[in-house]
Amino acid sequence: MNLADTVFTDIEKKQQFEKLLGRVARGEYTAPLFVVTYPVFSSGIFEIYEYNELRQNFYRDYDDKILILGMSQSKQGAREVLMDILEQYLDDEGVFHWQ
């Protein structure tokens, strides 16, 4: 599992966010945490996973494919983070420009 260069979040406290980033980078258990990723299996644009689901053995074979783009401590917060990501990278014509 990899972290994007810029990880979007709704977590306001910088210290708490950095602590969670460190735990994710080390692959440690953390709850609750929802992450926004590119799809692992489906043909969508983004997916929201409960972070600990991605730590299960089933996903270990796909570990290098998983890129975390955003995180939140609630599923609704993760939806809002996803909207922030979309707003950041969609231009006025609706064309998506990911860096």
Side-chain angles (χ1 to χ4, degrees):
M1 208 170 326
N2 302 300
L3 293 166
D5 292 337
T6 301
V7 177
F8 289 78
T9 187
D10 64 347
I11 300 169
E12 294 180 11
K13 294 182 180 178
K14 183 178 179 181
Q15 183 179 7
Q16 182 181 12
F17 175 62
E18 289 175 353
K19 183 178 178 180
L20 284 172
L21 278 178
R23 292 183 72 112
V24 169
R26 292 186 300 272
E28 296 176 358
Y29 173 82
T30 181
L33 185 65
F34 293 85
V35 295
V36 178
T37 70
Y38 289 127
V40 178
F41 304 107
S42 68
S43 60
I45 298 175
F46 300 105
E47 291 181 340
I48 296 174
Y49 287 96
E50 202 280 324
Y51 167 71
N52 292 311
E53 177 182 347
L54 296 176
R55 294 180 63 245
Q56 295 178 7
N57 289 336
F58 177 78
Y59 289 96
R60 297 234 187 255
D61 293 337
Y62 304 97
D63 209 36
D64 60 332
K65 287 181 159 183
I66 300 171
L67 179 65
I68 296 175
L69 307 168
M71 61 176 57
S72 177
Q73 292 182 307
S74 70
K75 190 155 191 171
Q76 181 58 39
R79 290 181 186 122
E80 293 170 12
V81 167
L82 176 55
M83 292 304 297
D84 291 342
I85 293 170
L86 290 172
E87 288 173 3
Q88 178 78 25
Y89 294 103
L90 282 175
D91 65 15
D92 292 334
E93 287 94 38
V95 177
F96 192 70
H97 298 282
W98 186 257
Q99 298 174 340

